[in-house]
mmCIF file of all heavy atoms in Angstrom:
data_model
loop_
_atom_site.group_PDB
_atom_site.id
_atom_site.type_symbol
_atom_site.label_atom_id
_atom_site.label_comp_id
_atom_site.label_asym_id
_atom_site.label_seq_id
_atom_site.Cartn_x
_atom_site.Cartn_y
_atom_site.Cartn_z
ATOM 1 N N VAL K 93 87.689 -44.687 284.822
ATOM 2 C CA VAL K 93 88.187 -43.921 286.015
ATOM 3 C C VAL K 93 88.349 -42.547 285.673
ATOM 4 O O VAL K 93 89.287 -42.171 284.883
ATOM 5 C CB VAL K 93 89.405 -44.590 286.613
ATOM 6 C CG1 VAL K 93 89.818 -43.886 287.877
ATOM 7 C CG2 VAL K 93 89.332 -46.048 286.802
ATOM 8 N N LYS K 94 87.509 -41.598 286.037
ATOM 9 C CA LYS K 94 87.556 -40.189 285.705
ATOM 10 C C LYS K 94 87.518 -39.889 284.236
ATOM 11 O O LYS K 94 87.984 -38.854 283.757
ATOM 12 C CB LYS K 94 88.889 -39.602 286.265
ATOM 13 C CG LYS K 94 88.919 -39.622 287.813
ATOM 14 C CD LYS K 94 90.390 -39.343 288.379
ATOM 15 C CE LYS K 94 90.875 -37.936 288.100
ATOM 16 N NZ LYS K 94 91.785 -37.838 286.975
ATOM 17 N N SER K 99 94.844 -41.009 282.910
ATOM 18 C CA SER K 99 95.230 -41.012 284.373
ATOM 19 C C SER K 99 95.876 -42.327 284.749
ATOM 20 O O SER K 99 96.820 -42.367 285.677
ATOM 21 C CB SER K 99 94.030 -40.788 285.300
ATOM 22 O OG SER K 99 93.026 -41.718 285.121
ATOM 23 N N ILE K 100 95.541 -43.466 284.084
ATOM 24 C CA ILE K 100 96.131 -44.737 284.417
ATOM 25 C C ILE K 100 97.679 -44.734 284.119
ATOM 26 O O ILE K 100 98.432 -45.608 284.650
ATOM 27 C CB ILE K 100 95.462 -45.866 283.553
ATOM 28 C CG1 ILE K 100 95.742 -47.248 284.163
ATOM 29 C CG2 ILE K 100 95.739 -45.738 282.111
ATOM 30 C CD1 ILE K 100 94.975 -48.343 283.561
ATOM 31 N N SER K 104 103.307 -43.055 290.610
ATOM 32 C CA SER K 104 103.098 -42.292 291.887
ATOM 33 C C SER K 104 104.257 -41.213 292.000
ATOM 34 O O SER K 104 105.404 -41.513 291.691
ATOM 35 C CB SER K 104 103.238 -43.326 293.036
ATOM 36 O OG SER K 104 102.144 -44.186 293.026
ATOM 37 N N SER K 107 101.747 -35.908 295.318
ATOM 38 C CA SER K 107 100.479 -36.149 295.833
ATOM 39 C C SER K 107 99.690 -37.272 295.053
ATOM 40 O O SER K 107 98.594 -37.694 295.379
ATOM 41 C CB SER K 107 99.589 -34.963 295.911
ATOM 42 O OG SER K 107 99.427 -34.499 294.639
ATOM 43 N N ILE K 108 100.339 -37.727 293.948
ATOM 44 C CA ILE K 108 99.658 -38.671 293.078
ATOM 45 C C ILE K 108 99.922 -40.060 293.470
ATOM 46 O O ILE K 108 101.107 -40.520 293.619
ATOM 47 C CB ILE K 108 100.112 -38.421 291.613
ATOM 48 C CG1 ILE K 108 99.622 -37.120 291.113
ATOM 49 C CG2 ILE K 108 99.550 -39.566 290.763
ATOM 50 C CD1 ILE K 108 100.233 -36.650 289.704
ATOM 51 N N VAL K 109 98.865 -40.880 293.742
ATOM 52 C CA VAL K 109 98.971 -42.288 294.020
ATOM 53 C C VAL K 109 98.501 -42.961 292.739
ATOM 54 O O VAL K 109 97.364 -42.811 292.332
ATOM 55 C CB VAL K 109 98.098 -42.697 295.245
ATOM 56 C CG1 VAL K 109 98.297 -44.159 295.467
ATOM 57 C CG2 VAL K 109 98.514 -41.839 296.443
ATOM 58 N N SER K 110 99.395 -43.775 292.180
ATOM 59 C CA SER K 110 99.173 -44.310 290.787
ATOM 60 C C SER K 110 98.026 -45.299 290.826
ATOM 61 O O SER K 110 97.901 -46.117 291.740
ATOM 62 C CB SER K 110 100.415 -44.973 290.306
ATOM 63 O OG SER K 110 100.209 -45.580 289.058
ATOM 64 N N GLU K 111 97.219 -45.265 289.735
ATOM 65 C CA GLU K 111 96.182 -46.272 289.542
ATOM 66 C C GLU K 111 96.790 -47.666 289.171
ATOM 67 O O GLU K 111 96.051 -48.642 289.187
ATOM 68 C CB GLU K 111 95.293 -45.834 288.383
ATOM 69 C CG GLU K 111 94.384 -44.603 288.680
ATOM 70 C CD GLU K 111 93.673 -44.013 287.532
ATOM 71 O OE1 GLU K 111 93.407 -44.725 286.541
ATOM 72 O OE2 GLU K 111 93.277 -42.818 287.602
ATOM 73 N N LYS K 112 98.100 -47.703 288.818
ATOM 74 C CA LYS K 112 98.693 -48.935 288.498
ATOM 75 C C LYS K 112 98.721 -49.853 289.783
ATOM 76 O O LYS K 112 98.980 -51.075 289.640
ATOM 77 C CB LYS K 112 100.201 -48.706 288.024
ATOM 78 C CG LYS K 112 100.241 -47.966 286.671
ATOM 79 C CD LYS K 112 101.617 -47.500 286.325
ATOM 80 C CE LYS K 112 101.634 -46.585 285.137
ATOM 81 N NZ LYS K 112 103.039 -46.183 284.699
ATOM 82 N N ARG K 113 98.495 -49.255 290.951
ATOM 83 C CA ARG K 113 98.599 -50.126 292.169
ATOM 84 C C ARG K 113 97.217 -50.667 292.536
ATOM 85 O O ARG K 113 97.114 -51.500 293.527
ATOM 86 C CB ARG K 113 99.003 -49.196 293.358
ATOM 87 C CG ARG K 113 100.396 -48.639 293.250
ATOM 88 C CD ARG K 113 100.671 -47.788 294.545
ATOM 89 N NE ARG K 113 101.997 -47.198 294.477
ATOM 90 C CZ ARG K 113 102.530 -46.523 295.509
ATOM 91 N NH1 ARG K 113 101.767 -46.279 296.612
ATOM 92 N NH2 ARG K 113 103.630 -45.991 295.446
ATOM 93 N N SER K 114 96.155 -50.310 291.815
ATOM 94 C CA SER K 114 94.888 -50.796 292.160
ATOM 95 C C SER K 114 94.746 -52.343 291.900
ATOM 96 O O SER K 114 95.530 -52.961 291.182
ATOM 97 C CB SER K 114 93.775 -50.123 291.360
ATOM 98 O OG SER K 114 93.801 -50.502 289.985
ATOM 99 N N ASN K 115 93.616 -52.941 292.467
ATOM 100 C CA ASN K 115 93.517 -54.403 292.276
ATOM 101 C C ASN K 115 93.265 -54.815 290.818
ATOM 102 O O ASN K 115 93.900 -55.766 290.403
ATOM 103 C CB ASN K 115 92.245 -54.899 293.075
ATOM 104 C CG ASN K 115 92.517 -54.870 294.578
ATOM 105 O OD1 ASN K 115 93.714 -55.001 294.958
ATOM 106 N ND2 ASN K 115 91.553 -54.518 295.415
ATOM 107 N N PRO K 116 92.549 -53.999 290.036
ATOM 108 C CA PRO K 116 92.411 -54.473 288.631
ATOM 109 C C PRO K 116 93.657 -54.355 287.783
ATOM 110 O O PRO K 116 93.798 -54.969 286.752
ATOM 111 C CB PRO K 116 91.319 -53.448 288.137
ATOM 112 C CG PRO K 116 90.655 -52.949 289.306
ATOM 113 C CD PRO K 116 91.648 -52.898 290.342
ATOM 114 N N ASN K 117 94.600 -53.462 288.222
ATOM 115 C CA ASN K 117 95.787 -53.136 287.456
ATOM 116 C C ASN K 117 97.049 -53.755 287.954
ATOM 117 O O ASN K 117 97.976 -54.091 287.062
ATOM 118 C CB ASN K 117 95.987 -51.627 287.361
ATOM 119 C CG ASN K 117 94.851 -50.962 286.574
ATOM 120 O OD1 ASN K 117 94.249 -51.511 285.695
ATOM 121 N ND2 ASN K 117 94.527 -49.644 286.926
ATOM 122 N N ARG K 118 97.205 -54.031 289.200
ATOM 123 C CA ARG K 118 98.378 -54.497 289.817
ATOM 124 C C ARG K 118 98.759 -55.923 289.228
ATOM 125 O O ARG K 118 97.944 -56.770 289.203
ATOM 126 C CB ARG K 118 98.242 -54.677 291.364
ATOM 127 C CG ARG K 118 99.512 -54.743 292.088
ATOM 128 C CD ARG K 118 99.353 -54.632 293.586
ATOM 129 N NE ARG K 118 98.372 -55.594 294.065
ATOM 130 C CZ ARG K 118 97.205 -55.295 294.640
ATOM 131 N NH1 ARG K 118 96.864 -54.018 294.805
ATOM 132 N NH2 ARG K 118 96.375 -56.202 295.088
ATOM 133 N N GLY K 175 95.927 -35.688 287.568
ATOM 134 C CA GLY K 175 95.771 -36.463 288.799
ATOM 135 C C GLY K 175 95.307 -37.869 288.479
ATOM 136 O O GLY K 175 94.978 -38.118 287.261
ATOM 137 N N ALA K 176 95.274 -38.729 289.408
ATOM 138 C CA ALA K 176 94.832 -40.061 289.300
ATOM 139 C C ALA K 176 93.851 -40.449 290.435
ATOM 140 O O ALA K 176 93.699 -39.637 291.335
ATOM 141 C CB ALA K 176 96.021 -41.037 289.342
ATOM 142 N N SER K 177 93.201 -41.518 290.271
ATOM 143 C CA SER K 177 92.251 -41.907 291.338
ATOM 144 C C SER K 177 92.381 -43.426 291.601
ATOM 145 O O SER K 177 91.848 -44.288 290.940
ATOM 146 C CB SER K 177 90.764 -41.602 290.924
ATOM 147 O OG SER K 177 89.921 -42.140 291.906
ATOM 148 N N LEU K 178 93.082 -43.790 292.634
ATOM 149 C CA LEU K 178 93.260 -45.198 293.015
ATOM 150 C C LEU K 178 91.888 -45.729 293.523
ATOM 151 O O LEU K 178 91.566 -46.880 293.053
ATOM 152 C CB LEU K 178 94.304 -45.283 294.210
ATOM 153 C CG LEU K 178 94.593 -46.736 294.724
ATOM 154 C CD1 LEU K 178 95.265 -47.568 293.566
ATOM 155 C CD2 LEU K 178 95.384 -46.686 295.959
ATOM 156 N N SER K 179 91.132 -44.952 294.204
ATOM 157 C CA SER K 179 89.799 -45.554 294.736
ATOM 158 C C SER K 179 88.867 -45.681 293.453
ATOM 159 O O SER K 179 88.187 -46.716 293.414
ATOM 160 C CB SER K 179 89.183 -44.552 295.712
ATOM 161 O OG SER K 179 88.984 -43.345 295.099
ATOM 162 N N GLY K 180 88.950 -44.766 292.529
ATOM 163 C CA GLY K 180 88.064 -44.943 291.371
ATOM 164 C C GLY K 180 88.418 -46.176 290.551
ATOM 165 O O GLY K 180 87.577 -46.870 290.087
ATOM 166 N N SER K 181 89.787 -46.417 290.527
ATOM 167 C CA SER K 181 90.243 -47.754 289.755
ATOM 168 C C SER K 181 89.813 -48.925 290.560
ATOM 169 O O SER K 181 89.393 -49.832 289.894
ATOM 170 C CB SER K 181 91.785 -47.547 289.668
ATOM 171 O OG SER K 181 92.222 -48.561 288.870
ATOM 172 N N ASN K 182 89.828 -48.923 291.832
ATOM 173 C CA ASN K 182 89.442 -50.086 292.638
ATOM 174 C C ASN K 182 87.914 -50.333 292.575
ATOM 175 O O ASN K 182 87.513 -51.464 292.614
ATOM 176 C CB ASN K 182 89.846 -49.978 294.122
ATOM 177 C CG ASN K 182 91.238 -50.370 294.301
ATOM 178 O OD1 ASN K 182 91.720 -51.404 293.712
ATOM 179 N ND2 ASN K 182 92.009 -49.687 295.123
ATOM 180 N N ASN K 183 87.135 -49.210 292.504
ATOM 181 C CA ASN K 183 85.652 -49.311 292.569
ATOM 182 C C ASN K 183 84.915 -49.388 291.255
ATOM 183 O O ASN K 183 83.815 -49.975 291.167
ATOM 184 C CB ASN K 183 85.075 -48.228 293.450
ATOM 185 C CG ASN K 183 85.682 -48.209 294.883
ATOM 186 O OD1 ASN K 183 85.816 -49.349 295.348
ATOM 187 N ND2 ASN K 183 85.984 -47.073 295.451
ATOM 188 N N ASN K 184 85.454 -48.667 290.207
ATOM 189 C CA ASN K 184 84.627 -48.506 288.965
ATOM 190 C C ASN K 184 84.794 -49.529 287.920
ATOM 191 O O ASN K 184 83.965 -49.799 287.077
ATOM 192 C CB ASN K 184 84.923 -47.133 288.330
ATOM 193 C CG ASN K 184 84.711 -45.958 289.210
ATOM 194 O OD1 ASN K 184 84.301 -46.080 290.337
ATOM 195 N ND2 ASN K 184 85.052 -44.748 288.719
ATOM 196 N N ILE K 185 85.971 -50.221 287.928
ATOM 197 C CA ILE K 185 86.250 -51.195 286.917
ATOM 198 C C ILE K 185 85.605 -52.577 287.269
ATOM 199 O O ILE K 185 85.760 -52.999 288.355
ATOM 200 C CB ILE K 185 87.769 -51.386 286.751
ATOM 201 C CG1 ILE K 185 88.494 -50.063 286.262
ATOM 202 C CG2 ILE K 185 88.128 -52.497 285.830
ATOM 203 C CD1 ILE K 185 89.950 -49.994 286.390
#
Side-chain angles (χ1 to χ4, degrees):
V93 183
K94 295 165 67 262
S99 59
I100 195 172
S104 294
S107 62
I108 294 169
V109 182
S110 178
E111 292 171 19
K112 295 173 186 179
R113 295 182 180 185
S114 72
N115 291 326
N117 295 330
R118 198 173 54 244
S177 174
L178 181 66
S179 61
S181 188
N182 275 321
N183 298 323
N184 301 358
I185 297 168

